Amino acid sequence: MCNDVTITLQSGLRFLLSPNEAGIADKGYRNDRITFLSPLSGHRFSLSNDENAFNFLIYYARQSVERVLRRLTIFQILRYCWRYSLFLHALVVCVCAKLTNLNLLIKPLDQ
C-alpha cells in the first residue's frame, strides 16, 4: 500500500500536466507547490489575509470536487474494478459525468 504522494511521483502524473496547469492537493503535497496547489501551513490567525484567502480558495475548490465525486458515486459502476476495454470505460465515465451535470442543474452542490 502506498500514500498518494508516492503514487503521484511514480505514476508520472506531474509530467502529464501542461506548464500552466496545477492540481489541487492536500497538505501532503506541500513540497511540490509548482505542480500541486496545497494549503499553506500555519494557523489561520498566524497567516496574513492573503494567505488565508488562498487557503480558503483551496479548501473551497477541494470541497466542490468532493461533492461532485460524491454525486458520481450514485452510479455503482464506478465503485468496482473495470474489466472491459478502456475505450468503453471512458465512454461510461463521460455518460456518468453528463448525467451528474444534469443532476446538478436540478440539485446544485450547495443544497
Side-chain angles (χ1 to χ4, degrees):
M1 199 177 255
C2 296
N3 63 18
D4 292 346
V5 178
T6 305
I7 293 170
T8 304
L9 292 174
Q10 291 179 357
S11 70
L13 176 65
R14 341 172 37 190
F15 304 110
L16 296 175
L17 297 173
S18 298
N20 295 331
E21 288 182 322
I24 297 175
D26 58 10
K27 295 175 183 178
Y29 292 85
R30 282 191 182 135
N31 296 330
D32 189 2
R33 293 222 179 258
I34 295 171
T35 309
F36 300 104
L37 299 175
S38 61
L40 301 170
S41 60
H43 195 272
R44 69 181 181 135
F45 296 117
S46 66
L47 298 174
S48 70
N49 287 339
D50 290 339
E51 292 171 333
N52 278 326
F54 177 80
N55 279 355
F56 174 79
L57 291 174
I58 295 296
Y59 289 130
Y60 183 78
R62 289 189 70 223
Q63 285 178 352
S64 296
V65 168
E66 291 295 330
R67 288 178 184 142
V68 169
L69 289 176
R70 193 172 335 124
R71 294 271 178 109
L72 280 170
T73 58
I74 292 169
F75 305 101
Q76 295 293 320
I77 197 161
L78 299 177
R79 291 183 182 233
Y80 302 105
C81 181
W82 188 260
R83 300 192 192 287
Y84 306 103
S85 73
L86 290 177
F87 173 77
L88 188 58
H89 182 267
L91 188 63
V92 167
V93 170
C94 284
V95 168
C96 292
K98 288 180 188 241
L99 289 171
T100 300
N101 282 338
L102 286 173
N103 185 266
L104 287 172
L105 292 174
I106 299 166
K107 295 180 183 177
L109 289 176
D110 57 351
Q111 292 182 356

